[in-house]
């Protein structure tokens, strides 16, 4: 059914159920993991830029399909890496050509990342403030 022909369902919402679910979720440890994208939105042909808790993050897929996440600025001159091309799974800074294959290189450090097939998570230990976990809860 087309969206505009559907009846509104907001009257069926139960604020107490929503509040209880939020309270349970907030009580769980996050391990410093943050959702940064839908899995389908991270591709091998272009990078994806996100700002999470004030931290710029860039994501892309390697030639093998592995997701890479890291700081969104080039360590050389601060170029926004989200505007750079991806060639054969390598992110190439559009200002001066720094080639990032997904490992630490020239002052750029990758972030721990987890792709569960639906969501892509990045671990931001610098903003999370919790004991880091190996994978999202």
């Amino acid at each position: 059914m087309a969206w505009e022909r559907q009846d509104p369902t907001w009257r069926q919402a139960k604020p107490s159920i929503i509040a209880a679910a939020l309270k349970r979720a907030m009580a769980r440890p996050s391990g410093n993991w943050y959702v940064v994208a839908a899995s389908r939105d991270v591709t091998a042909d272009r990078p994806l830029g996100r700002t999470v808790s004030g931290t710029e993050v860039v994501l892309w897929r390697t030639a093998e399909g592995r997701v890479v996440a890291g700081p969104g600025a080039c360590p050389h001159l601060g170029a926004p890496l989200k505007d750079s091309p991806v060639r054969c799974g390598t992110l190439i800074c559009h200002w001066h050509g720094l080639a990032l294959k997904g490992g630490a290189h020239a002052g750029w450090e990758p972030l721990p990342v987890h792709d569960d097939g639906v969501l892509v998570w990045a671990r931001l230990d610098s903003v999370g403030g919790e004991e880091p976990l190996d994978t999202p809860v």
Side-chain angles (χ1 to χ4, degrees), residues 14-58:
K14 305 276 190 249
S16 61
I17 293 173
I18 295 168
L22 178 60
K23 186 177 179 180
R24 282 192 310 275
M26 296 299 288
R28 288 180 162 181
S30 72
N32 303 329
W33 289 96
Y34 293 82
V35 172
V36 290
S39 185
R40 68 175 176 264
D41 292 341
V42 183
T43 64
D45 61 342
R46 61 179 170 70
L48 180 66
R50 291 285 192 255
T51 302
V52 179
S53 192
T55 302
E56 290 183 34
V57 178
V58 66

Side-chain angles (χ1 to χ4, degrees), residues 7-20:
D7 291 328
T9 59
W10 60 269
R11 286 186 179 97
Q12 298 169 0
K14 305 276 190 249
S16 61
I17 293 173
I18 295 168

